[in-house]
Amino acid sequence: MAEDWRDARIAELQAALERALARIEALEAQIRQNSSNSSKPPSSDTPEQRRGRDKPAPTGRKPGGQPGHKPQRRDLLPPERVSRTVEHYPHECAHCGTALAAVEDREPFRHQVVDLPEIHADVTEHRLHAAECAECGRRTRASLPMGVPRSMFGPRLLALVALLTGVCRVSRRQAVMFLEDVLSIRVSLGALSEGEQRVSQAVAPAVDEALDFTLAQPVKHADATSWATGGAYRSLWTISTALVTVFVIAKDGSRETVRRILGKVHGILVSDRATVFGFWAMKWRQICWAHLLRKFAGFVERKGAGSQIARELQGTTEIVFHYWHRVRDGTMTRRAFRRWMKPIRARVEDLLERGARLGARGFSGTCSDILDHREALWAFVDRDDVDPTNNLAERDLRPFVLWRKTSNGTQSERGERYAERIMTVAHTLRKQRRSVFQYLHRACANHLYDNPPEPLLPSFA
């Protein structure tokens, strides 16, 4: 009886020890996570993790420009951009002091000074007079004509407010201070919020059109992060193409919500392996290989069961990127790339199958999941218009993450719409190398005068 109790106790302690060791291993792996072996952004890395990365060997040269380097000078503005020109002539020889006559130099040295003019707000006062009717004696006051704003904000001021609070991420209080200090325009926080709402309404049709355009493209990238509205959880999504980026703040990140945002399956979707994309057919997906590389690197650092297979997967993935970079740089043809990728493709799938059979905690499950996405691994090999990574969407999402960190999100649904719309406008215009301020000005003016919405899509769309 005592032996049975002892054996049971030993088994119980062994099970507890295994659980504790597994938890320690998981915690240590979590501590070691950084941007190179997980999906964490580089901004989350600690100074020690940054210092631990491979750095180029010191050259012994001092920082800054080196002797003999080509100097970098600011390009001069063209003559039509110059407000005034002042001619300067030497009065005496710098060597002997002899007086010099003012002679026109065909190639004078040009020095330009750029400054701001004294800024005054352009204020138009509309006086609405009233007149008394001779028949009934009632007084009638004139109404504001169409196109005159009911608020104090004109289209250029609206554009500036949106540029400050929505694009440059200046706080509302700082924007109020800027308007008063620089433009001598005193506005309240409530009036500023109303101005943002008017801009949101002005760009709404163009943003809706941009979303339809993006979803109709043969290749698009999607990614998400968390958001907060009034302290409640929300999900921030981006759908990106080369020239258009659209942001959507949704109530959650469930599969049904994502299905509603992305609509019907059309074209290739580049994303990570999140289960919310399960409704998108695998043959029309491309899984991000940058995520896979970081995942393999994380398993290598754990040095447990499966680390050797993970090391081989990491090395093979680095070869994939080497070949892809050569294709992108034009040093390898597409035909040669596809030929070289055939054995690589077989090698990767064989390693994943071996890893899935290994039975290693965490690692084998990851290998099985990647194999479930087998059809979605190689679209970038078969198609010329597909990239192997989701870096496009991740880069587009990063400024919105910075907005979230400095503002803690939004406070209302109206704020959500303003945030997603103004960021859609800003990112899309920057991709197209168009002026954000000029676009916002035209969009607000068109909305004010009931003209057609200012187009956001590229001209060839």
Side-chain angles (χ1 to χ4, degrees):
M1 191 72 176
E3 292 181 355
D4 293 341
W5 178 87
R6 182 188 61 191
D7 293 341
R9 182 58 176 166
I10 291 174
E12 180 183 349
L13 292 175
Q14 286 178 336
L17 178 60
E18 290 178 0
R19 289 195 299 269
L21 291 175
R23 178 165 176 75
I24 291 172
E25 180 184 355
L27 291 174
E28 289 180 342
Q30 185 176 353
I31 292 174
R32 291 193 298 268
Q33 282 187 351
N34 55 61
S35 60
S36 66
N37 59 19
S38 70
S39 297
K40 297 178 67 174
S43 59
S44 67
D45 291 347
T46 64
E48 290 77 11
Q49 290 170 335
R50 296 190 188 101
R51 284 195 294 268
R53 294 174 185 159
D54 293 334
K55 295 183 179 179
T59 61
R61 296 181 298 182
K62 294 182 179 180
Q66 302 302 312
H69 82 288
K70 184 179 180 180
Q72 299 291 326
R73 295 189 177 91
R74 180 177 59 85
D75 293 335
L76 295 173
L77 296 173
E80 61 270 16
R81 294 283 307 279
V82 176
S83 304
R84 66 189 63 84
T85 302
V86 180
E87 307 290 352
H88 300 278
Y89 299 93
H91 300 293
E92 60 183 26
C93 178
H95 299 283
C96 65
T98 303
L100 298 176
V103 179
E104 189 74 22
D105 185 358
R106 293 185 177 181
E107 295 184 0
F109 178 81
R110 298 167 60 200
H111 172 70
Q112 295 180 345
V113 177
V114 182
D115 199 359
L116 290 174
E118 187 175 354
I119 301 175
H120 298 282
D122 182 23
V123 181
T124 302
E125 181 176 292
H126 296 268
R127 298 185 176 185
L128 306 181
H129 296 275
E132 184 177 299
C133 178
E135 294 292 330
C136 65
R138 301 290 294 271
R139 290 174 62 82
T140 301
R141 188 168 299 280
S143 301
L144 285 175
M146 186 182 67
V148 176
R150 266 53 182 174
S151 70
M152 65 170 289
F153 292 93
R156 279 195 178 85
L157 186 55
L158 285 173
L160 179 60
V161 166
L163 191 70
L164 290 173
T165 65
V167 181
C168 299
R169 298 191 300 276
V170 175
S171 71
R172 289 191 177 95
R173 294 187 183 277
Q174 290 175 323
V176 167
M177 181 184 67
F178 174 85
L179 293 176
E180 184 170 1
D181 286 356
V182 178
L183 304 178
S184 300
I185 300 175
R186 298 186 63 182
V187 298
S188 66
L189 291 173
L192 203 71
S193 180
E194 290 182 8
E196 292 176 344
Q197 173 65 5
R198 292 178 182 273
V199 176
S200 180
Q201 293 171 346
V203 302
V207 170
D208 292 341
E209 186 182 18
L211 177 59
D212 293 339
F213 171 85
T214 304
L215 295 178
Q217 296 309 294
V219 180
K220 51 259 184 186
H221 297 242
D223 199 8
T225 189
S226 59
W227 187 258
T229 297
Y233 170 81
R234 294 290 188 273
S235 184
L236 170 62
W237 288 88
T238 181
I239 306 100
S240 302
T241 64
L243 293 176
V244 178
T245 297
V246 179
F247 295 99
V248 177
I249 299 176
K251 65 177 182 178
D252 56 42
S254 66
R255 180 177 298 189
E256 288 306 313
T257 299
V258 177
R259 185 196 296 269
R260 177 181 56 81
I261 295 173
L262 296 179
K264 64 180 181 180
V265 177
H266 174 81
I268 296 290
L269 179 68
V270 184
S271 69
D272 56 22
R273 292 179 291 118
T275 57
V276 295
F277 298 112
F279 67 94
W280 205 278
M282 285 292 180
K283 65 179 180 179
W284 295 108
R285 290 181 62 185
Q286 171 61 60
I287 300 304
C288 178
W289 276 83
H291 282 76
L292 299 182
L293 181 60
R294 292 193 292 266
K295 200 71 175 179
F296 299 148
F299 283 118
V300 169
E301 292 183 2
R302 293 187 186 183
K303 299 179 181 178
S307 62
Q308 181 56 41
I309 296 178
R311 188 182 304 279
E312 294 182 53
L313 283 167
Q314 181 185 18
T316 307
T317 303
E318 290 173 350
I319 295 174
V320 170
F321 278 111
H322 173 71
Y323 289 162
W324 168 254
H325 292 155
R326 289 191 59 189
V327 172
R328 188 184 60 187
D329 299 340
T331 57
M332 177 183 286
T333 65
R334 275 282 177 177
R335 178 179 296 181
F337 175 62
R338 293 189 178 99
R339 185 174 65 252
W340 282 81
M341 282 299 297
K342 283 183 179 179
I344 295 294
R345 181 171 181 168
R347 174 67 171 166
V348 168
E349 295 184 4
D350 177 66
L351 288 170
L352 289 172
E353 290 171 354
R354 285 168 51 192
R357 294 192 301 267
L358 191 62
R361 182 191 297 269
F363 176 68
S364 294
T366 297
C367 291
S368 296
D369 183 74
I370 297 173
L371 285 171
D372 291 340
H373 294 77
R374 190 194 306 257
E375 285 186 280
L377 291 175
W378 311 107
F380 76 99
V381 178
D382 302 327
R383 293 182 51 147
D384 296 353
D385 56 349
V386 179
D387 195 280
T389 73
N390 199 28
N391 292 345
L392 177 64
E394 292 181 1
R395 286 194 303 266
D396 287 346
L397 203 57
R398 198 163 296 142
F400 227 141
V401 172
L402 296 178
W403 185 346
R404 180 193 65 201
K405 288 184 176 180
T406 56
S407 67
N408 294 321
T410 47
Q411 297 302 317
S412 64
E413 185 177 346
R414 188 176 82 168
E416 288 181 355
R417 301 290 82 75
Y418 172 71
E420 65 185 16
R421 289 169 182 170
I422 197 66
M423 289 294 277
T424 294
V425 168
H427 278 259
T428 297
L429 293 175
R430 284 172 176 168
K431 284 184 173 181
Q432 300 175 21
R433 300 184 181 275
R434 295 164 62 188
S435 168
V436 178
F437 178 78
Q438 294 299 333
Y439 174 87
L440 290 173
H441 169 228
R442 290 193 295 267
C444 292
N446 289 349
H447 181 70
L448 183 64
Y449 298 117
D450 291 330
N451 292 330
E454 186 70 14
L456 185 59
L457 300 179
S459 57
F460 61 81

